[in-house]
Amino acid sequence: MSRFHATVVVAVLALSVAAPAQARKVYRCVRDGTVSLSTAPEPGSRCKAREIDDNAVAVPNLWGSGGAVSGTLYQREQDGKTVYGTRKLPGSIKVLAFTVPAPPGEPAHTGLGQVGPAQIDRYPKQFRAAARATGVDEAWLRAIAHAESGFDANAVSPKGAQGVMQLMPATSREYGVVDPFSSGQSIDAGARHLRALMRRYHDDLTLVAAAYNAGIGAVARYGGVPPYAETQAYVAKVQVLHARYRNALGMKPLAVPNASAALP
Protein backbone atom coordinates (compact mmCIF):
# COMPACT_ATOMS: atom_id res chain seq x y z
CA MET A 1 0.00 0.00 0.00
CA SER A 2 2.78 2.43 0.90
CA ARG A 3 4.64 1.87 -2.38
CA PHE A 4 1.37 2.02 -4.37
CA HIS A 5 0.24 5.37 -3.01
CA ALA A 6 3.68 6.96 -3.21
CA THR A 7 4.03 5.74 -6.80
CA VAL A 8 0.58 7.02 -7.78
CA VAL A 9 1.17 10.48 -6.35
CA VAL A 10 4.63 11.00 -7.80
CA ALA A 11 3.64 9.39 -11.10
CA VAL A 12 0.70 11.78 -11.50
CA LEU A 13 2.98 14.69 -10.69
CA ALA A 14 5.74 13.56 -13.03
CA LEU A 15 3.63 12.52 -16.00
CA SER A 16 1.59 15.72 -15.93
CA VAL A 17 4.68 17.78 -16.72
CA ALA A 18 5.58 18.57 -20.31
CA ALA A 19 9.25 17.58 -20.47
CA PRO A 20 11.67 15.72 -22.74
CA ALA A 21 11.14 11.98 -22.98
CA GLN A 22 12.67 9.99 -20.14
CA ALA A 23 12.90 13.00 -17.78
CA ARG A 24 10.21 14.82 -15.79
CA LYS A 25 10.52 17.57 -13.20
CA VAL A 26 8.79 17.58 -9.82
CA TYR A 27 9.29 20.46 -7.38
CA ARG A 28 9.79 19.98 -3.64
CA CYS A 29 8.45 23.12 -1.97
CA VAL A 30 8.70 24.36 1.63
CA ARG A 31 6.43 26.99 3.17
CA ASP A 32 5.52 27.80 6.78
CA GLY A 33 7.25 24.67 8.07
CA THR A 34 5.48 22.24 5.72
CA VAL A 35 6.67 20.32 2.66
CA SER A 36 4.72 19.83 -0.56
CA LEU A 37 5.30 18.46 -4.06
CA SER A 38 4.20 20.26 -7.21
CA THR A 39 4.58 20.05 -10.98
CA ALA A 40 5.52 23.75 -11.03
CA PRO A 41 7.12 26.08 -8.47
CA GLU A 42 4.53 27.22 -5.93
CA PRO A 43 4.08 30.97 -5.54
CA GLY A 44 5.33 31.96 -2.10
CA SER A 45 7.24 28.72 -1.43
CA ARG A 46 10.91 27.78 -1.60
CA CYS A 47 11.06 25.12 -4.31
CA LYS A 48 13.77 22.86 -5.71
CA ALA A 49 13.36 20.83 -8.89
CA ARG A 50 14.00 17.10 -9.04
CA GLU A 51 14.08 15.04 -12.23
CA ILE A 52 12.20 11.75 -12.45
CA ASP A 53 13.30 9.10 -14.92
CA ASP A 54 10.25 7.63 -16.68
CA ASN A 55 11.95 4.24 -16.73
CA ALA A 56 12.97 4.23 -13.08
CA VAL A 57 11.93 1.06 -11.29
CA ALA A 58 11.65 2.76 -7.88
CA VAL A 59 10.11 6.18 -7.38
CA PRO A 60 12.46 8.40 -5.34
CA ASN A 61 11.18 9.81 -2.09
CA LEU A 62 10.91 13.53 -2.76
CA TRP A 63 9.55 14.32 0.70
CA GLY A 64 12.91 13.69 2.28
CA SER A 65 14.00 10.38 3.78
CA GLY A 66 11.96 7.49 5.12
CA GLY A 67 9.58 6.77 2.26
CA ALA A 68 6.23 7.71 3.81
CA VAL A 69 3.86 10.35 2.48
CA SER A 70 0.42 11.53 3.49
CA GLY A 71 -1.86 14.23 2.23
CA THR A 72 -4.06 15.32 -0.67
CA LEU A 73 -3.32 15.86 -4.34
CA TYR A 74 -4.81 19.03 -5.84
CA GLN A 75 -5.17 20.40 -9.38
CA ARG A 76 -4.94 24.10 -10.16
CA GLU A 77 -4.45 26.47 -13.08
CA GLN A 78 -1.22 28.47 -12.97
CA ASP A 79 0.13 30.71 -15.73
CA GLY A 80 -2.29 29.16 -18.21
CA LYS A 81 -1.25 25.59 -17.42
CA THR A 82 -2.74 22.75 -15.37
CA VAL A 83 -0.58 22.13 -12.32
CA TYR A 84 -0.76 19.32 -9.75
CA GLY A 85 0.46 19.63 -6.16
CA THR A 86 -0.02 18.47 -2.61
CA ARG A 87 -0.69 21.91 -1.10
CA LYS A 88 -4.16 23.44 -1.25
CA LEU A 89 -3.67 26.80 -2.94
CA PRO A 90 -6.39 29.28 -4.01
CA GLY A 91 -8.43 27.83 -6.87
CA SER A 92 -7.24 24.25 -6.25
CA ILE A 93 -9.51 21.25 -6.87
CA LYS A 94 -9.05 18.02 -4.89
CA VAL A 95 -7.99 15.06 -7.07
CA LEU A 96 -7.27 12.32 -4.53
CA ALA A 97 -6.27 11.73 -0.90
CA PHE A 98 -3.40 9.50 0.15
CA THR A 99 -1.97 8.35 3.46
CA VAL A 100 0.53 5.67 4.48
CA PRO A 101 2.23 4.76 7.78
CA ALA A 102 5.62 6.01 8.90
CA PRO A 103 8.39 3.63 7.83
CA PRO A 104 9.67 0.96 10.24
CA GLY A 105 12.22 2.26 12.70
CA GLU A 106 10.67 5.73 12.98
CA PRO A 107 9.37 6.60 16.47
CA ALA A 108 6.23 8.24 15.02
CA HIS A 109 3.05 6.95 16.66
CA THR A 110 -0.58 7.87 17.22
CA GLY A 111 -0.29 7.46 20.98
CA LEU A 112 -2.05 5.07 23.36
CA GLY A 113 -4.54 7.52 24.86
CA GLN A 114 -7.83 8.31 23.12
CA VAL A 115 -9.31 11.78 22.72
CA GLY A 116 -11.90 12.21 25.46
CA PRO A 117 -12.81 14.49 28.36
CA ALA A 118 -10.09 16.14 30.42
CA GLN A 119 -8.96 14.09 33.43
CA ILE A 120 -7.60 16.64 35.88
CA ASP A 121 -7.76 14.18 38.78
CA ARG A 122 -4.84 12.15 37.42
CA TYR A 123 -1.55 12.82 39.26
CA PRO A 124 -2.48 16.42 40.21
CA LYS A 125 0.52 17.01 42.50
CA GLN A 126 3.03 15.66 39.98
CA PHE A 127 1.67 17.72 37.09
CA ARG A 128 1.50 20.92 39.14
CA ALA A 129 5.04 20.43 40.43
CA ALA A 130 6.47 19.69 36.97
CA ALA A 131 4.65 22.67 35.44
CA ARG A 132 5.95 25.03 38.15
CA ALA A 133 9.51 23.69 37.90
CA THR A 134 9.75 23.97 34.11
CA GLY A 135 7.32 26.73 33.19
CA VAL A 136 5.50 24.38 30.82
CA ASP A 137 1.77 25.05 30.62
CA GLU A 138 0.12 22.39 32.83
CA ALA A 139 -2.67 21.97 30.28
CA TRP A 140 -0.09 21.27 27.56
CA LEU A 141 1.78 18.81 29.76
CA ARG A 142 -1.46 16.98 30.58
CA ALA A 143 -2.52 16.95 26.92
CA ILE A 144 0.72 15.20 25.96
CA ALA A 145 0.36 12.65 28.78
CA HIS A 146 -3.27 12.01 27.85
CA ALA A 147 -2.39 11.45 24.17
CA GLU A 148 0.69 9.38 24.95
CA SER A 149 -0.49 6.92 27.60
CA GLY A 150 -3.98 7.82 28.79
CA PHE A 151 -2.20 8.41 32.15
CA ASP A 152 -1.20 4.75 32.47
CA ALA A 153 2.04 4.70 34.48
CA ASN A 154 2.74 1.12 33.34
CA ALA A 155 2.11 1.71 29.65
CA VAL A 156 4.63 0.37 27.14
CA SER A 157 4.19 1.19 23.47
CA PRO A 158 4.95 -1.20 20.60
CA LYS A 159 8.00 0.97 19.88
CA GLY A 160 9.34 0.73 23.43
CA ALA A 161 8.20 4.02 24.97
CA GLN A 162 7.44 3.76 28.68
CA GLY A 163 5.38 5.33 31.45
CA VAL A 164 2.95 8.21 31.72
CA MET A 165 4.89 10.40 29.29
CA GLN A 166 5.92 7.49 27.06
CA LEU A 167 9.60 8.34 27.05
CA MET A 168 11.93 6.23 24.96
CA PRO A 169 14.70 4.61 27.05
CA ALA A 170 17.38 6.89 25.58
CA THR A 171 15.34 9.98 26.48
CA SER A 172 14.75 8.66 30.00
CA ARG A 173 18.49 8.20 30.47
CA GLU A 174 19.15 11.70 29.14
CA TYR A 175 16.96 13.17 31.88
CA GLY A 176 18.23 10.92 34.65
CA VAL A 177 15.12 8.76 35.04
CA VAL A 178 15.83 5.77 37.28
CA ASP A 179 12.37 4.20 37.16
CA PRO A 180 10.49 4.95 33.89
CA PHE A 181 7.29 3.60 35.44
CA SER A 182 7.36 6.07 38.31
CA SER A 183 4.66 8.61 37.49
CA GLY A 184 6.59 11.41 39.20
CA GLN A 185 9.86 10.72 37.41
CA SER A 186 8.15 10.28 34.05
CA ILE A 187 6.12 13.50 34.33
CA ASP A 188 9.14 15.50 35.54
CA ALA A 189 11.36 14.22 32.72
CA GLY A 190 8.61 14.68 30.14
CA ALA A 191 8.12 18.28 31.24
CA ARG A 192 11.85 19.00 30.99
CA HIS A 193 11.95 17.41 27.55
CA LEU A 194 8.99 19.52 26.42
CA ARG A 195 10.67 22.65 27.80
CA ALA A 196 13.77 21.87 25.73
CA LEU A 197 11.65 21.37 22.60
CA MET A 198 9.77 24.61 23.25
CA ARG A 199 13.07 26.49 23.40
CA ARG A 200 14.25 24.83 20.19
CA TYR A 201 11.06 25.67 18.29
CA HIS A 202 10.40 29.07 19.89
CA ASP A 203 7.18 27.90 21.57
CA ASP A 204 5.64 26.66 18.31
CA LEU A 205 3.54 23.91 19.90
CA THR A 206 2.76 22.25 16.58
CA LEU A 207 6.45 21.60 15.99
CA VAL A 208 6.95 20.68 19.65
CA ALA A 209 4.26 18.00 19.40
CA ALA A 210 5.67 16.76 16.09
CA ALA A 211 9.18 16.47 17.52
CA TYR A 212 7.93 14.76 20.71
CA ASN A 213 6.19 12.25 18.46
CA ALA A 214 8.52 11.69 15.53
CA GLY A 215 11.83 13.07 16.80
CA ILE A 216 13.85 16.22 16.19
CA GLY A 217 15.60 14.59 13.23
CA ALA A 218 12.36 13.96 11.33
CA VAL A 219 11.18 17.54 11.87
CA ALA A 220 14.52 18.82 10.58
CA ARG A 221 14.52 16.51 7.54
CA TYR A 222 11.07 17.60 6.41
CA GLY A 223 11.36 21.26 7.36
CA GLY A 224 8.32 21.00 9.65
CA VAL A 225 5.68 18.45 10.61
CA PRO A 226 6.76 15.14 9.03
CA PRO A 227 4.31 13.77 6.44
CA TYR A 228 3.63 10.67 8.54
CA ALA A 229 0.01 9.72 9.07
CA GLU A 230 0.76 8.85 12.70
CA THR A 231 2.40 12.19 13.47
CA GLN A 232 -0.32 14.24 11.80
CA ALA A 233 -3.02 12.36 13.73
CA TYR A 234 -1.04 12.79 16.96
CA VAL A 235 -0.56 16.56 16.49
CA ALA A 236 -4.28 17.03 15.81
CA LYS A 237 -5.15 14.94 18.89
CA VAL A 238 -2.85 16.95 21.17
CA GLN A 239 -4.21 20.27 19.89
CA VAL A 240 -7.77 19.24 20.77
CA LEU A 241 -6.72 17.91 24.18
CA HIS A 242 -4.74 21.05 24.97
CA ALA A 243 -7.85 23.19 24.47
CA ARG A 244 -9.91 20.83 26.65
CA TYR A 245 -7.38 20.88 29.49
CA ARG A 246 -7.06 24.66 29.40
CA ASN A 247 -10.82 24.88 29.73
CA ALA A 248 -10.94 22.28 32.53
CA LEU A 249 -8.20 24.09 34.45
CA GLY A 250 -9.98 27.43 34.10
CA MET A 251 -7.39 28.88 31.74
CA LYS A 252 -8.07 31.21 28.83
CA PRO A 253 -9.48 29.16 25.93
CA LEU A 254 -7.36 28.65 22.84
CA ALA A 255 -8.72 28.40 19.33
CA VAL A 256 -8.12 24.87 18.06
CA PRO A 257 -5.97 25.17 14.91
CA ASN A 258 -7.18 23.62 11.69
CA ALA A 259 -5.37 20.28 11.67
CA SER A 260 -5.22 20.32 7.87
CA ALA A 261 -2.92 23.34 8.08
CA ALA A 262 -0.18 21.00 9.25
CA LEU A 263 -0.62 18.68 6.28
CA PRO A 264 1.67 18.97 3.30
Side-chain angles (χ1 to χ4, degrees):
M1 177 171 138
S2 175
R3 178 181 295 276
F4 170 76
H5 281 88
T7 301
V8 167
V9 172
V10 179
V12 169
L13 289 168
L15 295 177
S16 64
V17 182
Q22 313 303 320
R24 313 279 176 170
K25 279 186 180 179
V26 173
Y27 294 83
R28 183 179 187 274
C29 302
V30 179
R31 179 197 298 187
D32 298 330
T34 61
V35 179
S36 63
L37 301 180
S38 180
T39 59
E42 291 178 355
S45 298
R46 303 191 311 275
C47 301
K48 291 185 179 180
R50 289 285 299 274
E51 288 195 351
I52 307 299
D53 186 340
D54 289 350
N55 296 321
V57 175
V59 176
N61 176 18
L62 301 182
W63 296 98
S65 61
V69 293
S70 175
T72 304
L73 185 66
Y74 298 95
Q75 175 185 313
R76 67 183 187 275
E77 295 299 315
Q78 181 175 311
D79 299 326
K81 298 179 181 180
T82 299
V83 176
Y84 293 90
T86 58
R87 190 188 305 280
K88 186 176 182 181
L89 297 176
S92 296
I93 299 173
K94 180 178 177 180
V95 176
L96 62 87
F98 55 95
T99 181
V100 297
E106 291 285 337
H109 57 281
T110 57
L112 302 177
Q114 301 301 313
V115 175
Q119 301 177 48
I120 58 175
D121 60 328
R122 305 303 298 272
Y123 310 115
K125 293 182 180 179
Q126 291 93 325
F127 279 112
R128 282 197 297 269
R132 284 197 300 267
T134 61
V136 173
D137 173 2
E138 183 180 341
W140 178 245
L141 183 56
R142 284 181 171 276
I144 294 290
H146 185 139
E148 286 288 343
S149 70
F151 301 102
D152 182 355
N154 297 311
V156 178
S157 79
K159 297 197 175 184
Q162 302 168 314
V164 174
M165 301 302 292
Q166 286 292 280
L167 300 174
M168 295 297 287
T171 304
S172 289
R173 289 193 295 271
E174 179 182 351
Y175 289 99
V177 173
V178 176
D179 179 4
F181 300 108
S182 161
S183 59
Q185 291 184 41
S186 183
I187 292 168
D188 175 72
R192 286 187 285 143
H193 184 45
L194 284 169
R195 179 68 263 173
L197 293 176
M198 290 170 72
R199 290 195 186 101
R200 174 182 286 269
Y201 299 114
H202 307 290
D203 292 331
D204 184 329
L205 298 185
T206 296
L207 293 182
V208 170
Y212 197 97
N213 177 269
I216 292 170
V219 172
R221 287 197 303 271
Y222 291 103
V225 179
Y228 300 156
E230 293 91 339
T231 300
Q232 292 171 358
Y234 177 90
V235 170
K237 179 192 296 186
V238 170
Q239 289 173 338
V240 171
L241 288 169
H242 186 204
R244 291 183 182 182
Y245 276 100
R246 286 185 66 88
N247 181 61
L249 292 169
M251 302 171 72
K252 182 179 179 181
L254 291 177
V256 179
N258 182 356
S260 63
L263 300 179

